[in-house]
């Protein structure tokens, strides 16, 4: 039986959702049914559907006591809302049902493993959030919290692990028939670590070990871990708080981290081999993955940034959206992301141009415009013929030499502008001499002095670069090359700003393939 708190939330979201029209939302990115959304939760495939739950405050467009919103989809692009799944209504979670995950139990029911939050008053009048892990079991719509909750408490922490930062369990099953979960944690001095637990039945859990330790390298507390095997490697995703930038990595404060390595199952030892940011744009956090029935590992993140999410240019009926679902792969020890192939089914109104010359000025192309767009670009310097390609010749000196031999002049800058009218645009620009790709939403309609630009170091073949840009009304996701990097940013631009234009300082030759996404 749903509690009073959950019934209220369900009644409220049903009554108020009509106040938000389809046009005010992204078309194929999931947004909250009403109110506020943050992290993806319980991303799973259950009874023939993808399920996405999310951190949810239905009663305002700001973060508040966390519920779990719920939506289902067959293709991860068309979503149907279901009633809110969890409300903070028990003594152990009355201050919030924080992030967690989902798994199917042998009897066919679906188990949600989430963090229960309880405010503990401190002697100085402040409070701290005590966090435990709790279970709710249901049928894909209604969930009952386990009488035995919480199932993981401070008693299940390693020595020194903080019970105030112990959250976001991500559960999966392994070939040995056991259930495993990773949870975010930190030491008393806020150094992040990922804890590993196991269970024979999914209900009774035991502590295994510390799977990964920050040791002061990447920010402080590590939130929202995910751990899975991919292309012969093991991948640990986490979202560290309070990161310091390192070169062109980790510029987001609360950022994202991907550790690629190997995993010794017997000793539960994860050996790190490489690290990278997951997203190189502005708005991406707390991603979670699902293993699709066809074996694809698909990731969705919260398409927002904690530092700027409350700096609004105008009041919002809803706030927060999920990123595009992205197919993951590992190549040469690096995480690659690509828009799920289902997106291609939304493509229509193709416009294709090959070999367009853009020389010291701006070019617009008939039929290339819109705010729900899939735009593929190949940019190359004029004069660089197919046969001149020299993969790997990426250093500036080498590129310069190669240019002179090939008789090409390297352009200084290329930019594509979109969501453009006379007042607005967002730009993605590329300077081959610096190997810098930049997203700039300064003119996107923001009235706040928030971060509007992010620069990323990209690899290219002597000025030849491929980009795939996905626009969905209030966001842009830029996939670089084969998906070795992605830059994600939200934009608050009036929908009438639909223009797309191309600019070059120097001479660029451009291939453009554009589809509308309907
Ligand atoms: C990450 C996070 C999680 C927590 C949730 C609360 O964005 O802080 O660690 O479970 O959001 O809404």
């Amino acid at each position: 039986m749903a509690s009073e708190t959950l019934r209220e939330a369900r009644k409220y979201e049903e009554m108020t959702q009509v106040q938000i029209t389809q046009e005010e939302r992204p078309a194929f990115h999931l947004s909250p049914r009403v109110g506020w959304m943050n992290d993806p939760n319980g991303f799973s495939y259950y009874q023939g559907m993808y399920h996405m739950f999310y951190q949810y405050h239905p009663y305002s467009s700001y973060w508040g006591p966390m519920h779990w919103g719920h939506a289902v989809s067959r293709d991860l692009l068309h979503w149907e809302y279901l009633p809110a799944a969890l409300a903070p209504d028990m003594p152990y979670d009355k201050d919030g049902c924080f992030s967690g995950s989902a798994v199917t139990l042998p009897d066919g029911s679906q188990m949600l493993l989430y963090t229960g939050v309880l405010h503990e008053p401190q002697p100085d009048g402040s409070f701290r959030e005590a966090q435990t892990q709790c279970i709710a079991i249901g049928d894909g719509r209604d969930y009952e919290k386990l009488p035995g909750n919480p199932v993981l408490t401070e008693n299940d922490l390693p020595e020194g692990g903080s019970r105030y930062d112990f959250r976001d369990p991500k559960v999966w099953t392994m070939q040995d028939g056991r259930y495993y979960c990773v949870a975010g944690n930190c030491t008393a001095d806020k150094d992040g670590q990922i804890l590993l637990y196991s269970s024979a039945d999914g209900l009774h859990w035991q502590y295994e070990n510390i799977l990964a330790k920050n040791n002061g390298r990447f920010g402080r507390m590590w939130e929202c871990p995910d751990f899975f095997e991919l292309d012969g490697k093991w991948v640990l995703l986490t979202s560290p708080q309070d990161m310091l930038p390192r070169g062109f990595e980790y510029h987001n404060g609360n950022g994202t981290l991907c550790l690629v390595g190997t995993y010794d199952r017997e000793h539960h030892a994860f050996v790190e081999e490489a690290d990278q940011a997951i997203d190189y744009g502005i708005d991406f956090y707390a991603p979670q993955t699902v293993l699709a029935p066809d074996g694809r590992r698909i990731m969705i993140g919260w398409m927002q940034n904690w530092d700027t999410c409350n700096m609004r240019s105008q009041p919002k009926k809803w706030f927060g959206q999920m990123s595009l679902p992205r197919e993951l792969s590992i190549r040469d020890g690096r995480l690659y992301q690509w828009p799920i192939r289902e997106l291609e089914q939304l493509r229509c109104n193709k416009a294709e141009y090959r070999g367009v010359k853009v020389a010291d000025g701006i070019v617009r192309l008939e039929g290339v415009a819109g705010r729900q767009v899939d735009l593929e670009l190949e940019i190359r310097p004029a004069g660089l013929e197919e046969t001149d390609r020299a993969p790997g010749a990426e250093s500036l000196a080498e590129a310069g030499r190669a240019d002179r031999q090939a008789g090409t002049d390297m352009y200084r800058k290329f930019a594509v502008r979109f969501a453009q009218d006379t007042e607005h645009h967002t730009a993605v620009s590329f300077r081959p001499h610096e190997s810098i790709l930049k997203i700039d939403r300064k003119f996107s309609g923001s009235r706040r002095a928030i971060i509007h630009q992010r620069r990323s170091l990209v690899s290219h073949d002597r000025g030849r670069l491929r980009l795939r840009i996905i626009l969905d009304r209030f966001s842009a996701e830029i996939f670089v090359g084969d998906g070795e990097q992605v830059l994600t940013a939200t934009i608050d631009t009036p929908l009438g700003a639909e223009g797309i234009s191309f600019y070059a300082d120097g001479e660029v030759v451009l291939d453009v393939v554009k589809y509308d996404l309907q």
Side-chain angles (χ1 to χ4, degrees), residues 36-41 54-56 63-68 97-100 115 117 129 131 165-169 184 221-225 239 241 254 285-286 302 306:
W36 161 278
M37 158 193 278
N38 59 290
D39 312 354
N41 292 161
Y54 50 92
Q55 289 286 280
Y56 184 36
W63 193 87
M66 279 292 112
H67 297 58
W68 276 35
C97 299
F98 275 18
S99 286
T115 300
V117 174
E129 290 176 347
Q131 304 185 334
D165 286 294
F166 177 32
R167 57 182 176 271
D168 312 333
M221 164 66 186
W222 284 6
E223 302 189 301
C224 301
S239 296
Q241 295 180 317
N254 294 325
Y285 197 69
W302 180 44
W306 275 117

